[in-house]
């Protein structure tokens, strides 16, 4: 290979993460001056020597390549010995030249990863024997699909070096043995004390404990400060108690039916297999903070959440791209994400390829995750040949050129080698890597299941495995006995043990759990400060060439409106809210499909230089000590991206995280994240999140898709009361604001409060440029705030309350249609009240509004959505049960889809709604 080509490929890998930031200026935020992967001259020499050796020894190179590509298919990675190949055509010895050897020792070591102690094989048989020992035993490697020569060569040679190096130290072997035995002992203890418990044991997969212990130890050696772990049920309780300092007494209380949290916190808790912790471990005299995040029963849903939390941790630690110029490093220096999977879910859940697609993206990368697949070789009762169409459960990883190490889960030395290789690869290349830990379940899917119903042959092998004699040394037995005694002590105090609440600590220490009353917050600001933010929000360097249309319709118009202090549109209000929060030290992350420009070309938060595609974010240039605004145009994914952003929001209350759907109904692709984390995360796990979901909503004749954000679904998921007054402690807030100022206030309120709640915003589409949907700086001035209910006297129509006979209640952009119709008809006997906030339901504000009207004969709820949708079902019982008035309905009739797709019918429906409201 020519040197020029070598240098080009080397540059490609060196700039693996940097190149995606080259176009982003300092004001954009990311530090582009990151350290590269190592000694470039040395790496360049390795690749050059390798290619020269291939040319000089083509027959040997072919043999080595064959084993690197196909050796894993002969590997003995199944501890039960069921799925083992004895031969494959691609490694038939007859395919290779009978007699060959490599004359030059330097060439041999350039081609092949031999340790310094290892002698060079002489004959073809010697080479084949050596290659079989490396690639076809209890561990193997898949990497030949990796496109980059350096990565592929490095990991293959390093794997070969580890396999031909001396046996791992006795100290490491002792650590592995101890962790595997503790895992086994814990399961035996639970079986003895709670024989009917479904515990999803680690039996048969004890090797995962060796992996965790070794990867934590390696992390400390690499100066990593934080490790964020996600994992499903299996072996989770073992990890918590055996390695992560989780109080066994708390777990035993939970098994006995008691609460895992103190009585003075509002929570429902969650099942045993969803427990979590955050703790400090000590390795080699250094501390390592490890967080095992909560998991739902929806397998793999916690993976993007863990990646998002890791990214937020990197922001807090000023890691990599978030570092200042004085502390330049590589992205992922300080925080590591470990993702644990099951084999069937890894292959079957679409969230896995979605999350992998995030792994190399500039706004979502965490500098590589280490994946561990606990490969049970069965999904519940489904055998492998019915669980996937690919050879391995890990094959999705190949989409992003991710290497895979397959290892026999009952072979400690090989597990240590796999873990070391994974840590080294991730540290060097800052990319994901997968360890496929092939194991089995001693019992069925759970301990009360009989697996022989469906897998008799497999479980004959399992029973044979456990009949094998296992010898343990005396010193280890003493350690295990000590561990067993500790479990007995914890069991004896479980009933009296008082658990501690794990929330509101460290960065959350200034927060509280929301109260059952409702609070008001002054979210207004000085008008001069707002003007400064408004002007700076469209201020670009002199040499920066803005698109002519944007310069005219966005930059110039905003400058004019800010100067006048009136006519402020939706995007201006958003920019003012963002800028003010940044100046107060909060960080902001807005993520979703096309959020930089905005789906409706309304935001333009990031401007693109028409000369060279450079990107500039003006709001990152307000002040040297401000927070950081990250605008993230996401992949075309909802579930993984929303999960990522939820994880980001749950890490630190100083981060305002917004996920914007391209259209309101796009959230349904992320329903699992909403159901398992956003709506119930605090009640189940005490995990607060202030994430905002912006869902563009409106019946504008667009047909069944992209009209409705299904606000009725979110309302149904809240714990708002039908017969009582809501407080701040509801599980989710839901707003449908109708003015830019209201949007400004609700964004600011989300951050300045001393608690965090998810916020669902039924956002506008046509209101983004509606001539009546404007606000002034006075509406956002100091002393103003978000109003859950807007009075009719805030409209252009000034009514005499004494004349009003009919009172219309509505929510969202439908108000403008009603107000326009009232003005056309000159109906001064009809009042219109806007419910800007639906949850918590604003009982007091509604009562105050109704008091103004003494002669009302009819109360009507008017909505543009169909009767079985929208807010009707939600508001009706609350008006009747709490406020004490009977509402009539004016809106579309019931329908099985969100909207019709026939223009004439849509218009007829619009006319009919107005007839019902006014006639």
């Amino acid at each position: 290979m020519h040197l020029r080509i070598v240098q080009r490929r080397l540059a490609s890998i060196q700039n693996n993460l940097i190149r995606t930031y080259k176009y982003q200026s300092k004001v954009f935020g990311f530090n582009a001056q990151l350290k590269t992967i190592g000694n470039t001259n040395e790496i360049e020499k390795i690749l050059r020597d390798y290619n020269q050796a291939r040319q000089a020894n083509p027959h040997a190179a072919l043999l080595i390549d064959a084993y690197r590509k196909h050796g894993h298919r002969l590997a003995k990675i199944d501890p039960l010995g069921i799925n083992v190949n004895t031969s494959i055509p691609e490694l038939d010895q007859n395919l290779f030249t009978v007699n060959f050897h490599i004359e030059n020792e330097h060439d041999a070591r350039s081609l092949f990863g031999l340790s310094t102690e290892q002698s060079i094989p002489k004959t073809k048989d010697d080479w084949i024997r050596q290659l079989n020992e490396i690639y076809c035993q209890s561990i193997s490697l898949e990497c030949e699909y990796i496109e980059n020569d350096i990565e592929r060569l490095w990991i293959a040679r390093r794997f070969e070096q580890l396999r031909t190096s001396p046996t791992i130290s006795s100290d490491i072997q002792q650590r592995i043995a101890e962790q595997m035995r503790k895992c086994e002992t814990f399961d035996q203890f639970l079986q003895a004390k709670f024989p009917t418990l479904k515990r999803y044991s680690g039996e048969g997969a004890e090797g995962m404990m060796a992996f965790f212990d070794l990867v934590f130890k390696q992390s400390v050696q690499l100066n990593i400060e934080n490790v964020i772990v996600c994992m499903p049920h299996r072996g989770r309780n073992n990890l918590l108690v055996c390695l992560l300092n989780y109080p066994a007494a708390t777990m035993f209380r939970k098994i006995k039916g008691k609460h895992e949290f103190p009585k003075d916190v509002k929570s429902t808790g969650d099942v045993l297999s969803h427990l979590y912790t955050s703790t400090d471990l000590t390795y080699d005299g250094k501390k390592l903070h490890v967080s095992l995040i909560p998991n739902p029963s929806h397998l793999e849903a916690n993976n993007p959440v863990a990646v998002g939390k890791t990214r937020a941790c990197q922001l807090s630690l000023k890691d990599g791209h978030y570092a200042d110029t004085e502390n330049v490093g590589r992205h992922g220096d300080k925080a590591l994400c470990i993702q644990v999977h099951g084999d069937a879910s890894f292959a079957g859940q679409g969230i896995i390829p979605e999350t992998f697609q995030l792994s190399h993206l500039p706004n979502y990368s965490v500098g590589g995750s280490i994946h561990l697949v606990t490969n049970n070789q069965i999904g519940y009762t489904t055998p492998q040949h019915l669980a996937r169409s690919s050879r391995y459960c890990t094959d999705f990883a190949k989409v992003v050129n991710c290497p895979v190490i397959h290892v026999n889960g009952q072979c400690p030395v090989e597990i240590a080698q796999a873990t070391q290789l994974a840590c080294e690869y991730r540290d060097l290349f800052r990319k994901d890597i997968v360890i496929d830990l092939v194991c089995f379940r001693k019992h069925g899917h759970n301990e009360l299941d009989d697996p022989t119903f469906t897998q008799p042959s497999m479980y004959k092998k399992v029973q044979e495995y456990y009949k094998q004699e296992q010898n343990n040394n005396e010193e280890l037995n003493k350690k295990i006995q000590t561990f067993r005694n500790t479990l007995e002590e914890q069991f004896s105090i479980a009933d009296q043990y008082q658990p501690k609440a794990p929330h509101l600590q460290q960065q959350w220490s200034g927060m509280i759990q929301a109260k059952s009353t409702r609070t008001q917050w002054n979210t207004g600001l000085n008008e001069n400060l707002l003007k400064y933010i408004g002007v700076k929000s469209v201020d670009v360097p002199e040499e920066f060439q803005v698109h002519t249309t944007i310069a005219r319709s966005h930059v110039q118009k905003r400058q004019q409106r800010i100067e006048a202090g009136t006519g402020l549109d939706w995007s201006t209000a958003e920019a003012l809210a963002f800028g003010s929060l940044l100046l107060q030290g909060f960080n902001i992350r807005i993520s979703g499909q096309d959020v930089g420009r905005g789906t409706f070309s309304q935001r333009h938060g990031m401007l693109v230089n028409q000369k060279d595609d450079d990107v500039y974010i003006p709001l990152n240039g307000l002040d040297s000590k401000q927070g950081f605004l990250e605008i993230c145009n996401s992949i075309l994914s909802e579930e993984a991206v929303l999960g990522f952003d939820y994880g980001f929001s749950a890490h630190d209350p100083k981060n305002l995280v917004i996920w914007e759907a391209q259209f309101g109904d796009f959230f349904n692709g992320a329903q699992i994240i909403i159901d398992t984390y956003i709506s119930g995360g605090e009640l189940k796990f005490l995990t607060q999140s202030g994430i905002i979901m912006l869902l563009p909503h409106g019946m504008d004749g667009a047909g069944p898709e992209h009209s409705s954000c299904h606000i009725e679904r979110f309302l149904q998921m809240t714990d708002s009361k039908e017969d009582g007054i809501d407080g701040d402690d509801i599980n989710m807030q839901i707003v449908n604001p109708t003015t830019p100022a209201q949007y400004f206030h609700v964004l600011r309120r989300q951050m300045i409060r001393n608690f965090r709640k998810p916020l669902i915003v039924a956002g506008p589409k046509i209101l983004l440029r509606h001539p009546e949907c404007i606000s002034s700086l006075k509406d956002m001035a100091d002393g103003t705030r978000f109003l859950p209910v807007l009075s009719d006297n805030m409209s252009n129509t000034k009514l005499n309350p004494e004349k009003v006979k009919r009172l219309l209640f509505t929510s969202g952009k439908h108000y403008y249609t009603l107000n326009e119709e009232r003005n056309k008809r000159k109906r001064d006997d009809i009042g219109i009240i806007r419910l800007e906030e639906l949850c918590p339901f604003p009982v007091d504000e509604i009562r105050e509004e109704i008091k103004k009207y003494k002669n009302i004969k009819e109360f009507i709820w008017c909505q543009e959505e169909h009767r079985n949708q929208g807010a009707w079902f939600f508001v009706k019982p609350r008006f009747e049960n709490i406020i004490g008035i009977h509402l009539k309905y004016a809106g579309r009739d019931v329908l099985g889809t969100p909207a019709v797709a026939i223009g004439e019918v849509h218009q007829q429906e619009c006319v009919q709604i107005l007839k019902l409201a006014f006639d």
Side-chain angles (χ1 to χ4, degrees), residues 238-418:
N238 305 66
L239 176 63
L240 282 166
V241 172
C242 297
L243 204 53
L244 298 186
N245 302 324
Y246 191 86
T250 299
M251 188 172 291
F252 298 149
R253 281 175 52 86
K254 181 67 177 176
I255 297 171
K256 290 182 175 186
K258 301 180 185 296
H259 209 314
E260 65 267 35
F261 301 133
K263 294 181 180 179
D264 61 347
V265 297
K266 181 181 178 180
S267 69
T268 62
D270 204 352
V271 297
L272 178 69
S273 53
H274 296 177
L275 298 178
Y276 66 99
T277 193
S278 185
T279 187
D280 287 325
L281 303 179
T282 302
Y283 286 86
D284 302 327
K286 294 183 179 179
K287 280 190 175 181
L288 178 72
H289 190 76
V290 179
S291 300
L292 176 63
I293 71 165
N295 69 305
S297 292
H298 283 272
L299 299 175
E300 311 298 337
N302 60 353
N303 291 86
V305 176
V307 183
K309 181 176 173 61
T310 305
R311 177 85 180 198
C313 182
Q314 291 169 342
L315 172 61
S316 299
L317 295 171
K318 302 301 181 185
D319 182 6
H321 300 302
Y322 297 117
D324 53 40
T325 54
E326 288 78 25
N327 297 291
V328 175
R330 298 183 64 211
H331 197 58
D333 276 349
K334 299 178 182 179
L336 167 66
C337 183
I338 298 175
Q339 302 179 50
V340 184
H341 316 263
D343 52 321
S345 57
F346 194 92
Q349 297 291 305
I351 197 170
I352 290 300
E354 286 186 25
T355 305
F356 267 109
Q357 288 291 2
L358 297 177
S359 62
H360 295 174
L361 302 181
N363 296 107
Y364 299 88
S365 168
V366 293
S369 294
I370 296 177
H371 300 256
L372 177 74
V373 179
T374 309
N375 188 346
N376 302 315
Q377 306 186 75
I378 187 173
Y380 204 151
T381 66
T382 305
Q384 295 181 76
H385 71 280
L386 299 178
R388 60 180 182 269
S389 296
S390 58
R391 177 185 297 276
Y392 295 113
C393 63
T394 55
D395 284 339
F396 269 134
K398 298 176 183 177
V399 172
V400 292
N401 292 310
C402 178
V404 178
I405 309 165
H406 303 282
V407 61
N408 188 314
Q410 297 298 321
C411 296
V413 172
E414 284 77 4
I415 293 172
Q417 292 172 340

Side-chain angles (χ1 to χ4, degrees), residues 827-847:
R827 293 290 298 271
D828 61 358
D829 62 336
I830 294 178
I832 307 173
I833 307 300
R834 284 173 271 178
L835 270 63
E836 300 282 288
E837 184 167 57
L838 293 165
C839 183
F841 192 66
V843 172
D844 293 338
E845 290 85 351
I846 294 172
R847 284 174 174 166

